[in-house]
């Protein structure tokens, strides 16, 4: 199995089913956990030296920190309702308490932080909704924590791709710390499929093919993208959702297209 693929696990005592850290991913910035909590279950998190973005992927909850309370938040009961989620931004050196008010699928996004932003609610109305692409390369994007909104290093976005379509495509990368056209951003992909027994395909590769891995990704799996291009392709019968977390030394999403496939953005595609 690829070292870039983190398989969904059975819930531990806290309900955690995914646990990606800079240490086990072999990078510097992105941390990512997923919890499956039962109604009435509580969870306490410590941000330590990181900022957090808690995304209610599905379900209802109350969230509190030492300085703020966000009671009775949540709306969608499945990510495939395709409406923006509720999220909570939490600064470093905070304690967060989460009470699940229904069965709850909670994503916890982390990256290093030294700033002093306050905790805040990110409501569905504050999430930018964007349709990208054309032909068989269409997707629906929810910009939860884009670079236009305050944070120290985290970027958080979710993407829907219909059966048979591609996304994170044409192939693009953001791994060069010294390029005027790119920012260095590590990235994780948390995948969900509908129906849940489905799978999609994700490839992670570099120009020189020193990294070139193609993975069959099932419901609840995480793909780690330390560098290189990283397109996703869905299969007939199965719609795709994924939650992206990016972070790096410069909080800006700048990327370059792979030259061979950039024509997909042009008027040449779709072919008549």
């Amino acid at each position: 199995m690829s070292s870039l693929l983190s398989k969904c696990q059975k819930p531990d005592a806290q309900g955690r089913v995914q646990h990606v850290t800079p240490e086990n991913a072999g990078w510097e910035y992105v941390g990512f956990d997923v919890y499956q909590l039962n109604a009435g279950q509580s969870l306490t998190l410590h941000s330590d030296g990181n900022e957090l973005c808690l995304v209610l992927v599905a379900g209802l909850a109350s969230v509190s920190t030492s300085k703020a309370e966000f009671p009775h938040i949540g709306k969608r009961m499945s990510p495939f309702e395709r409406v923006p989620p509720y999220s909570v931004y939490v600064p470093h050196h905070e304690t967060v308490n989460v009470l699940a008010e229904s069965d709850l699928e909670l994503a916890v996004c982390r990256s290093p932080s030294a700033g002093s932003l306050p905790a805040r609610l990110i409501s569905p109305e504050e999430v930018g909704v964007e349709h990208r692409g054309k032909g068989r390369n269409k997707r629906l994007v929810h910009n939860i924590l884009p670079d236009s909104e305050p944070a120290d290093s985290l970027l958080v976005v979710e993407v829907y791709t219909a059966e048979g379509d591609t996304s994170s495509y044409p192939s693009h990368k953001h791994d060069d710390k010294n390029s005027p056209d790119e920012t260095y951003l590590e990235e994780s992909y948390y995948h969900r499929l509908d129906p849940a027994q489905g799978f999609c395909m994700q490839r992670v590769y570099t120009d020189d093919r020193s990294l070139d891995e193609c993975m069959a990704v099932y419901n609840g799996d995480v793909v780690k993208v330390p560098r290189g291009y990283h397109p996703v392709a869905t299969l007939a019968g199965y719609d795709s959702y994924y939650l992206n977390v990016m972070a790096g030394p410069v909080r800006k999403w700048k990327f370059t297209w792979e030259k061979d496939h950039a024509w997909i953005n042009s008027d040449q595609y779709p072919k008549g």
Side-chain angles (χ1 to χ4, degrees):
M1 187 178 74
S2 171
S3 63
L4 302 182
L5 182 62
S6 175
K7 300 295 293 181
C8 186
Q9 303 297 312
K10 292 183 179 179
D12 65 12
Q14 288 186 301
R16 189 168 62 189
V17 297
Q18 280 287 358
H19 184 48
V20 175
T21 68
E23 291 75 22
N24 65 34
W27 57 30
E28 298 178 68
Y29 295 94
V30 170
F32 182 74
D33 294 331
V34 177
Y35 295 85
Q36 298 280 2
L37 303 180
N38 298 319
Q41 188 174 353
S42 61
L43 175 69
T44 299
L45 302 168
H46 304 283
S47 61
D48 300 320
N50 299 288
E51 62 182 359
L52 310 181
C53 182
L54 278 58
V55 181
L56 277 64
V57 177
L60 313 175
S62 288
V63 178
S64 62
T65 71
S66 64
K67 299 177 182 178
E69 294 188 0
F70 309 104
H72 315 307
I73 60 174
K75 180 178 181 181
R76 68 187 192 192
M77 303 308 290
S78 162
F80 292 99
E81 293 176 21
R82 298 194 176 205
V83 296
Y86 279 82
S87 304
V88 175
Y89 174 87
V90 179
H92 65 104
H93 299 303
E94 259 290 7
T95 297
V96 189
N97 295 299
V98 179
L99 174 63
E101 297 179 344
S102 71
D103 289 350
L104 178 66
E105 182 177 354
L106 178 71
V108 180
C109 319
R110 297 176 181 263
S111 65
S113 170
S116 56
L117 294 168
R120 71 180 189 273
L121 179 68
I122 304 171
S123 70
E125 294 75 21
E126 295 171 285
V127 174
V129 178
E130 182 181 359
H131 293 269
R132 295 181 190 162
K134 55 185 177 176
R136 307 284 358 145
N137 190 48
K138 296 192 296 287
R139 58 272 196 209
L140 171 64
V141 177
H142 291 160
N143 291 300
I144 297 168
L145 194 58
D147 56 17
S148 58
E149 297 300 323
D152 283 347
S153 56
L154 271 178
L155 299 165
V156 182
V157 62
E158 57 182 19
V159 177
Y160 299 87
T161 312
E163 59 165 328
D165 287 353
T166 56
S167 58
S168 289
Y169 190 77
S171 303
H172 66 276
K173 71 182 185 75
H174 37 74
D175 60 10
D176 190 339
K177 293 180 179 179
N178 300 308
S179 169
D181 302 313
E182 294 182 25
T183 46
Y184 173 82
L185 294 169
E186 302 159 356
E187 187 167 15
S188 62
Y189 277 67
Y190 172 57
H191 287 269
R192 296 274 269 102
L193 282 300
D194 183 33
Q197 73 270 22
F199 67 96
C200 64
M201 306 299 294
Q202 185 160 19
R203 184 184 180 197
V204 180
Y205 63 103
T206 56
D207 283 313
D208 63 4
R209 303 303 192 262
S210 61
L211 174 61
D212 192 354
E213 302 202 25
C214 190
M215 292 156 276
V217 184
Y218 284 81
N219 195 49
D221 290 350
V222 170
V223 172
K224 294 168 278 187
V225 182
R227 63 188 187 278
Y229 307 104
H230 39 279
V232 173
T234 65
L235 302 179
Y238 299 98
D239 292 336
S240 158
Y241 161 96
Y242 52 79
L243 178 68
N244 288 137
V245 182
M246 292 180 279
V250 178
R251 190 174 179 265
K252 194 74 178 176
W253 186 48
K254 294 179 65 177
F255 59 88
T256 58
W257 305 107
E258 187 180 13
K259 292 179 181 178
D260 286 349
H261 309 306
W263 72 273
I264 299 297
N265 291 323
S266 74
D267 292 339
Q268 298 177 58
Y269 180 80
K271 295 181 179 180

